[in-house]
Amino acid sequence: MTDRLIIRRPDDWHVHLRDGALLADTVAHTARQFARAIVMPNLSPPVSTTAEVEAYRARIIAARPAGSDFTPLMVLYLTDATDPDDVAAGFASGVLAACKLYPANATTNSAHGVTDVRNIYPVLERMQAIGMPFLVHGEVTDPAVDIFDREAVFIEQVLTPTLRDFPALKAVFEHITTRDAAEFVVAAGANVGATITPHHLMINRNAIFAGGIRPHAYCLPVAKREVHRLALRKAATSGSEKFFLGTDTAPHLVQAKESACGCAGIFNAPHALEAYATVFAEENALDKFEAFASEHGPNFYGLPLNSGRVVLERVRELVPERLPLGDGEIVPWLAGETIGWRFSGVTD
Ligand code: NCD
Ligand code: ZN
């Protein structure tokens, strides 16, 4: 049995770093394990122009731990009013790595999101022409659609027609949670990829109701049935270059989660690689782990692979019940559980 896993330094293709008092800690947690990260723009108010993205990037860079070379890859939040020229200029200047579609009111801080995908067709036209990645929160928001069906209905009502109209658009189906989404991505062209979170590989929807309501297992898109979790594990460990690591680490302080109306989001940055390694080991697919964590994402985005390596050791480690974050406390993913891996740092 291998007791050390050494892989090329990975990136996280989906993170929420927030802002203000939380930023130094969120950046430190992600930068500890990952060289680069796609930073989601759902602040309040959202980061929806290149100038706002540039200012947010400067705050993130200023918040990095001393000596850190962590690179935030920045994303513009699409609204009904997004200007294609601003997007194209931001991409050309290197400020923007991608744009993100939040269907209006789909998730945390998405009230300013797109009300109808046709409203951003001029932006998508331009993004397709310049090869700019289009990142998608893939859920419909119609309250009449059952919450567990919203991803599958989105594929049918929004993603399929959009990709038919823009067949060369580089699109990332973010944090997929269903067999339907995994199958859709496999069947699509090489221009369509997907991120998969560690928590959707580890839990099904029963975890949200195990012996009582479990706010720390609640995120969006919500975890689905076991059949979907198994399909995601198969996709992630298949070796297909369409699937890559994106934790969707989404911190909400303990009082915002443990509430009569608890926020959606799971904070998994502190033990992200350990969680993924657990899944790949259980699937006897550790030989596919490095490509998922460190190669498929950069190849999809057209970025160089990182140099350097990270080391994981196969030792038992207890995840703390709580961690300090900003001026508060947070309950991390797998809190109180013992995991079988320990991240032991970056090496040459
Ligand atoms: C994210 C957040 O809190 O920003 N929450 C979540 O449950 N994943 C938003 C998102 O990615 O949908
Ligand atoms: Zn997210």
Side-chain angles (χ1 to χ4, degrees), residues 14-16 18 40 42 100 102 107 137 174-175 197 220-221 247-250:
H14 188 134
V15 305
H16 298 270
R18 314 303 191 205
M40 290 301 170
N42 61 330
K100 177 80 185 275
Y102 288 99
T107 188
H137 182 109
E174 297 292 341
H175 43 48
T197 78
L220 287 171
T247 62
D248 195 20
T249 183

